[in-house]
Amino acid sequence: MTVIPPSPDHPPAAPRAVGYEEVTDPDFRAHAEATFHQDRPLRGGLLLRGHCPRCGHYMTYYATNVVVRGLLPPRRTRPPAPTAGSDLTVICTCEESHAGRPESYHGCGAYWLHQTGPA
């Protein structure tokens, strides 16, 4: 697994009480790219871990280029990760409560583009 540590120049955002709102901001991308851990797990794909740039709560986001059509994939190969240097749409997936959030949703509604790092 490749781990890209966060920059010490950008500490995590302090948790804030914000209501659920589907919103983006260019600062979300800059903050997340500077502070999120990026892992490439053995099972494949890409795992981002860090504190949401909007609400400041801890979150994880898993991305893969594979779409599963059934319960068991026809082969047991490792799914590819998004290519290094590509933009990935990330949404907040924190487990904290946010007023106005639809039932069965996660996060505060923040979303942003995140450029993936080296493989």
Side-chain angles (χ1 to χ4, degrees), residues 5-58:
S7 166
D9 299 331
H10 294 86
R16 298 183 317 143
V18 295
Y20 181 85
E21 181 181 0
E22 293 179 4
V23 64
T24 191
D25 184 294
D27 289 340
F28 293 172
R29 177 180 185 147
H31 182 83
E33 287 179 0
T35 62
F36 273 44
H37 287 274
Q38 180 174 292
D39 302 328
R40 297 205 182 257
L42 294 177
R43 70 178 183 264
L46 177 70
L47 179 65
L48 298 174
R49 297 177 293 128
H51 292 85
C52 172
R54 178 172 181 254
C55 70
H57 297 127
Y58 182 78

Side-chain angles (χ1 to χ4, degrees), residues 86-106:
S86 64
D87 279 342
L88 173 68
T89 301
V90 176
I91 60 173
C92 176
T93 59
C94 78
E95 296 292 329
E96 304 301 321
S97 178
H98 292 283
R101 182 172 65 201
E103 208 170 307
S104 80
Y105 278 37
H106 296 275

